[in-house]
């Protein structure tokens, strides 16, 4: 038995040093710092728009389900929703104020989700 590899051996170790790992795109190119920054910023925009939509939906639900207005959580969500309603808080005036809040603030939440996704997509495209 010899320690030298035969030409047909498949388990031959390479004498070249291992290459460092670099994340690659499907085309084989490494990911640039600009692309990573754009992806991070797009994710942040998407997260913030979802948090805004959640605050608006919570206020709509608190109002529709007649939550206690003296509660600290209700007051916090009400304050956030007043800032984040995008001027849609009085768009429709229905007979029942609970339905009015549900429709208007629900519409504001949908707008937040659409705007957040659109802006995040533009940022991601700008980074590529």
């Amino acid at each position: 038995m010899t320690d030298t590899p035969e030409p047909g051996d498949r388990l031959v170790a390479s004498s070249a040093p291992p290459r460092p790992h670099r994340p690659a795109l499907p085309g084989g190119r490494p990911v640039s710092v600009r692309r990573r920054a754009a992806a991070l910023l797009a994710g942040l925009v998407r997260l913030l728009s979802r948090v805004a939509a959640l605050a608006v939906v919570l206020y709509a639900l608190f109002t529709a389900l007649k939550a206690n207005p003296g509660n600290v959580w209700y007051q916090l969500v009400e304050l956030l929703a007043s800032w984040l309603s995008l001027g849609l808080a009085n768009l429709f005036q229905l007979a029942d104020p609970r339905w009015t809040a549900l429709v208007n603030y629900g519409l504001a939440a949908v707008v937040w989700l659409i705007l957040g996704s659109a802006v995040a997509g533009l940022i991601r495209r700008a980074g590529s």
Side-chain angles (χ1 to χ4, degrees):
M1 289 199 150
T2 63
D3 289 335
T4 58
E6 301 274 333
D9 287 344
R10 290 186 178 202
L11 300 175
V12 177
S14 173
S15 61
R19 294 186 307 169
H21 173 70
R22 292 186 304 179
L25 297 175
R29 299 184 331 240
V31 178
S32 68
V33 173
R34 179 176 148 189
R35 187 170 292 213
R36 281 186 186 179
L40 182 67
L41 184 60
L44 183 64
V45 165
R46 188 171 286 127
L47 174 70
L48 291 177
S49 68
R50 288 178 182 176
V51 168
L54 177 66
V56 172
V57 165
L58 277 177
Y59 178 68
L61 288 175
F62 284 173
T63 304
L65 299 175
K66 295 183 179 180
N68 179 11
N71 189 294
V72 174
W73 289 106
Y74 180 92
Q75 292 172 357
L76 174 68
V77 170
E78 182 182 30
L79 179 66
L80 288 174
S82 68
W83 289 346
L84 301 171
S85 67
L86 301 172
L88 299 172
N90 295 319
L91 183 63
F92 297 107
Q93 294 295 324
L94 305 174
D96 188 1
R98 294 185 303 164
W99 277 103
T100 301
L102 200 59
V103 169
N104 290 334
Y105 285 98
L107 182 61
V110 169
V111 170
W112 271 110
L113 292 174
I114 291 171
L115 283 177
S117 293
V119 170
L122 289 174
I123 291 170
R124 195 175 292 266
R125 273 195 210 122
S128 58

